Amino acid sequence: MNRYPLWKYILVAVVLLVGIIYALPNIYGKDPAVQISAARAAEISELTELEVSGVLETAGIEPLAYELGLDSLVIRFADEDQQLQARDLISEALGGNYIVALNLAPATPDWLRALNAEPMYLGLDLRGGVHFLLEVDMEAAATRAVERYVSDIRSSLRDERIRYMTVAPADNAPGVLVRLRDAADVEQTLTLIRSEHPELNIDDVSADGENRVLAQLSEQTLTETREFALQQNITTLRKRVNELGVAEPVITQQGAERIVVQLPGVQDTARAKEILGATATLEFRLVDSSNSVEDALNGRVPAGSKLYYDRAGQPVLLKRDVMLTGDSIIDAASGIDQQSGGAAVFITLDGQGAQIFSRRTRDQIGNAMGTVFIENKTETTRNEAGELVRETSTIEEVINVATIRDQLGKRFQITGLDSTQEARNLALLLRAGALAAPVEIIEERTIGPSLGKENIEQGMLSVLLGFVLVLLFMVIYYRVFGIVASVALVTNLVLLVALLSMLQATLTLPGIAGIVLTVGMAVDANVLIYERIREELRNGNSPQSSIHAGYEKAFSSIADANITTVMAATVLFAFGTGPIKGFAVTLCLGIICSMFTAIIGTRAMVNLIYGGRRVKSLAI
């Protein structure tokens, strides 16, 4: 009696082994490191590692290790002083084509990395850094959408030669008001707008002798516009944060109108604000192939042209006349060109942009066109007197040169790219060149690394104290069965840490609180089982039947208690913000682990101790 089949013992052993393996990386700590990743057209290769090693060797800095990955180079150091010194030297040597970020690289052994075993990330409250809560101006997003519709409708009316007095945003609702000259054109205008923009609510609002058509944005269109603005802003902010040199930024949506930006390891709030508020745009210009680039390099730039440089530093002579700006781009996606099989970026323009581009590329088939990326940056630096000085700089670079193969319109593609990765980067650049709607910083917090270290120490102390007190109580009160429960509690913690590591979860202070609560709750199931066993013994049942009844009859109470807790944690996760979600996730995982260890794990140990033989009494 009270014997498990072999497969259950194997299951417990396998789960415990996997838990130990994936929890191990958290005990090795992290090394101060510098992470180098490519920006723009730069590539990370062995040449990059060779150049960096030469710079550090000249400065007398000996790194612990170089780790060259597919798209980054991580250099480990013995202490933070070497890390900071190396970061400055590498940034100066590599220039603006690379992003040099401070990082903490896990000191996990190679055999664990081969199994994809990685430690948990540390949240902002544990590592230190800057937290921003941004609110997106959704009214501005709707206004911009209305302006695009105004442009599209105006262009359509011109193409159909419908005479209008004005096409302008409506005063009392998000929409477009069209004032026509002739009443006979009202029906044609209604039909035209409905066919081209079925997502709009179109009505004839003629009154007081005026012929008017109102095209209002439907609730669904407004919702989609706002969601698009929010997602495009998140994409833009992620790109901009890379310029700040943050290795593990957290940029997430909060609610329907807000964005949370967390920058671990960053203490300069002013610098972070400048990056988040930067502006960027795009321009399409024809390549000036009739004049010499060499003459332009020597100072003889033609009157109608301007000298630019591409991302590799090569000069490109473009005409000053701007064919189109990036403001007309409403979408961009990377893909494969069906004709050549090479990488391509597919561009979608708004109505006015499509009309302009079609007209200007009609007579330029066979000529080359350059895409210019323009970014305005505001930086705060110290002058020789030590005073803070704000400097505004403009970066202009050619990110692509391609030949115009056909008259371009609302949709076209950019080819001639080196790789699919470059195509994805260019598509991201085109989508994220500027914020879709203005953002306002409504909350900001700076957390120092010393406070984060203190949080870790106090959190670990709370876990340890709760753990030891629970162990002492269980061993004193339940004796051998208390030792079994204590082993299960240790296993529960190991499995919980392993799950958080496998999910690559970010450990925060509320997450530590969830672990502390789990420690206290993990023995609840054992208390219910053990008290049931004692009750069966008092009723005169044999030890073996008491063990069997204790585990069988206490299960319904255990399941009820844990299910209600999981329901509460699910509500917290559904409606809570980031820290509350972290607490809820930790709590749910802890309950799952405690159910396994308290019911299956302890039963396996009790069966090994007492099962399959005659027992006169139980040490409970």
Side-chain angles (χ1 to χ4, degrees):
M1 193 175 184
N2 293 319
R3 297 181 66 179
Y4 263 169
L6 181 60
W7 69 267
K8 281 194 177 182
Y9 289 113
I10 294 175
L11 172 65
V12 173
V14 169
V15 171
L16 181 59
L17 178 62
V18 172
I20 291 174
I21 289 175
Y22 283 92
L24 270 179
N26 295 280
I27 70 173
Y28 287 99
K30 296 186 177 183
D31 296 326
V34 171
Q35 177 177 316
I36 305 170
S37 53
R40 305 183 178 96
E43 293 183 357
I44 300 294
S45 64
E46 294 179 354
L47 293 177
T48 311
E49 180 179 344
L50 188 62
E51 182 179 359
V52 171
S53 62
V55 171
L56 297 180
E57 184 178 352
T58 303
I61 300 175
E62 295 185 5
L64 295 177
Y66 292 89
E67 297 177 2
L68 181 61
L70 293 176
D71 54 1
S72 67
L73 172 63
V74 176
I75 310 167
R76 299 172 181 264
F77 298 92
D79 53 55
E80 293 182 357
D81 291 336
Q82 284 189 343
Q83 178 196 33
L84 295 174
Q85 185 181 358
R87 191 271 305 269
D88 295 338
L89 292 171
I90 295 171
S91 297
E92 183 178 352
L94 297 182
N97 287 333
Y98 295 86
I99 300 169
V100 182
L102 296 178
N103 197 0
L104 292 174
T108 309
D110 293 337
W111 68 273
L112 282 175
R113 291 188 203 172
L115 298 173
N116 291 324
E118 297 288 346
M120 294 178 288
Y121 291 131
L122 295 181
L124 200 67
D125 49 2
L126 300 180
R127 184 176 172 185
V130 182
H131 168 99
F132 291 109
L133 180 61
L134 310 178
E135 187 169 65
V136 181
D137 187 349
M138 290 303 180
E139 293 300 323
T143 300
R144 292 187 179 184
V146 169
E147 290 174 353
R148 289 196 297 270
Y149 280 114
V150 167
S151 173
D152 289 349
I153 293 173
R154 186 183 291 126
S155 299
S156 299
L157 294 176
R158 285 175 180 171
D159 292 341
E160 296 297 324
R161 300 186 183 279
I162 298 175
R163 300 173 64 193
Y164 61 87
M165 298 174 63
T166 59
V167 179
D171 294 331
N172 302 324
V176 181
L177 182 64
V178 182
R179 296 173 64 234
L180 301 166
R181 294 186 180 276
D182 300 324
D185 292 331
V186 171
E187 190 62 34
Q188 185 181 358
T189 301
L190 289 170
T191 304
L192 176 65
I193 299 177
R194 282 179 182 142
S195 63
E196 294 191 354
H197 303 286
E199 70 277 10
L200 299 180
N201 295 326
I202 319 297
D203 295 301
D204 181 359
V205 292
S206 300
D208 300 329
E210 288 191 352
N211 306 307
R212 297 183 297 181
V213 172
L214 177 62
Q216 284 185 288
L217 275 67
S218 64
E219 286 298 323
Q220 181 180 353
T221 304
L222 276 174
T223 301
E224 292 175 353
T225 299
R226 290 164 179 163
E227 289 176 353
F228 174 79
L230 189 67
Q231 293 303 319
Q232 186 173 354
N233 277 5
I234 290 175
T235 303
T236 303
L237 291 173
R238 281 179 179 150
K239 173 186 174 296
R240 293 181 179 182
V241 164
N242 285 337
E243 295 293 335
L244 200 59
V246 182
E248 295 172 2
V250 177
I251 303 175
T252 57
Q253 178 179 341
Q254 185 179 102
E257 300 181 356
R258 294 181 176 180
I259 301 172
V260 173
V261 179
Q262 295 183 349
L263 310 177
V266 174
Q267 304 301 320
D268 190 349
T269 309
R271 171 65 175 151
K273 282 184 178 179
E274 291 168 358
I275 291 294
L276 296 179
T279 60
T281 187
L282 290 164
E283 291 179 353
F284 294 92
R285 298 171 183 256
L286 285 174
V287 175
D288 186 354
S289 56
S290 59
N291 291 288
S292 171
V293 176
E294 287 74 14
D295 290 343
L297 288 172
N298 292 328
R300 297 189 297 273
V301 181
S305 302
K306 185 177 180 180
L307 184 64
Y308 290 91
Y309 292 88
D310 63 16
R311 293 170 294 172
Q314 298 298 317
V316 181
L317 189 61
L318 302 180
K319 294 185 177 180
R320 288 188 176 273
D321 181 39
V322 179
M323 301 177 68
L324 190 72
T325 67
D327 294 337
S328 299
I329 296 176
I330 58 176
D331 192 22
S334 60
I336 301 298
D337 180 23
Q338 297 297 323
Q339 295 182 352
S340 65
V345 176
F346 300 91
I347 308 296
T348 303
L349 302 177
D350 59 22
Q352 184 178 13
Q355 184 182 24
I356 294 173
F357 216 38
S358 176
R359 185 174 64 251
R360 295 194 172 184
T361 57
R362 181 174 51 204
D363 301 325
Q364 302 296 336
I365 297 175
N367 294 330
M369 178 183 68
T371 306
V372 184
F373 175 63
I374 303 172
E375 184 174 16
N376 298 313
K377 289 186 176 182
T378 302
E379 298 183 353
T380 302
T381 58
R382 292 187 181 275
N383 57 18
E384 297 179 356
E387 300 174 347
L388 292 176
V389 178
R390 297 190 66 183
E391 297 181 352
T392 301
S393 60
T394 301
I395 298 175
E396 296 182 331
E397 60 181 5
V398 178
I399 60 175
N400 172 261
V401 174
T403 302
I404 301 173
R405 300 296 183 188
D406 199 356
Q407 181 177 353
L408 304 177
K410 188 176 182 65
R411 294 179 180 86
F412 64 96
Q413 66 183 45
I414 297 176
T415 57
L417 303 169
D418 294 334
S419 64
T420 56
Q421 180 62 43
E422 185 178 2
R424 284 193 292 268
N425 292 340
L426 179 57
L428 175 65
L429 203 62
L430 296 177
R431 289 196 307 269
L435 293 172
V439 295
E440 179 185 359
I441 299 175
I442 60 175
E443 179 187 340
E444 65 177 81
R445 296 196 306 269
T446 302
I447 301 173
S450 59
L451 179 59
K453 183 179 180 182
E454 183 180 350
N455 285 338
I456 295 175
E457 293 174 351
Q458 291 181 348
M460 294 304 294
L461 180 62
S462 64
V463 173
L464 184 60
L465 283 177
F467 186 73
V468 170
L469 289 174
V470 171
L471 289 187
L472 287 175
F473 172 79
M474 294 299 291
V475 172
I476 293 172
Y477 197 73
Y478 291 110
R479 299 168 65 188
V480 172
F481 280 78
I483 296 175
V484 171
S486 300
V487 174
L489 185 58
V490 174
T491 306
N492 178 63
L493 270 181
V494 171
L495 294 180
L496 176 57
V497 172
L499 276 177
L500 291 172
S501 301
M502 292 170 70
L503 295 173
Q504 284 295 277
T506 300
L507 184 64
T508 61
L509 205 56
I512 292 180
I515 294 176
V516 176
L517 184 59
T518 299
V519 168
M521 295 175 58
V523 294
D524 283 357
N526 293 121
V527 170
L528 290 171
I529 294 169
Y530 295 167
E531 287 301 319
R532 186 73 191 198
I533 293 174
R534 294 172 72 171
E535 184 179 345
E536 294 291 330
L537 289 172
R538 285 194 295 268
N539 290 336
N541 290 332
S542 66
Q544 294 290 5
S545 62
S546 296
I547 292 174
H548 181 76
Y551 277 95
E552 291 295 325
K553 295 180 180 180
F555 179 78
S556 59
S557 300
I558 295 169
D560 178 67
N562 285 282
I563 288 173
T564 52
T565 307
V566 169
M567 290 171 63
T570 303
V571 173
L572 287 176
F573 182 82
F575 297 101
T577 57
I580 304 301
K581 287 179 184 287
F583 172 79
V585 169
T586 307
L587 186 59
C588 281
L589 293 178
I591 290 172
I592 294 171
C593 294
S594 66
M595 287 281 287
F596 176 82
T597 56
I599 297 175
I600 299 178
T602 60
R603 183 70 184 272
M605 286 186 282
V606 170
N607 287 351
L608 287 173
I609 297 172
Y610 293 106
R613 61 188 179 90
R614 297 181 65 86
V615 180
K616 293 183 179 181
S617 63
L618 299 177
I620 193 171

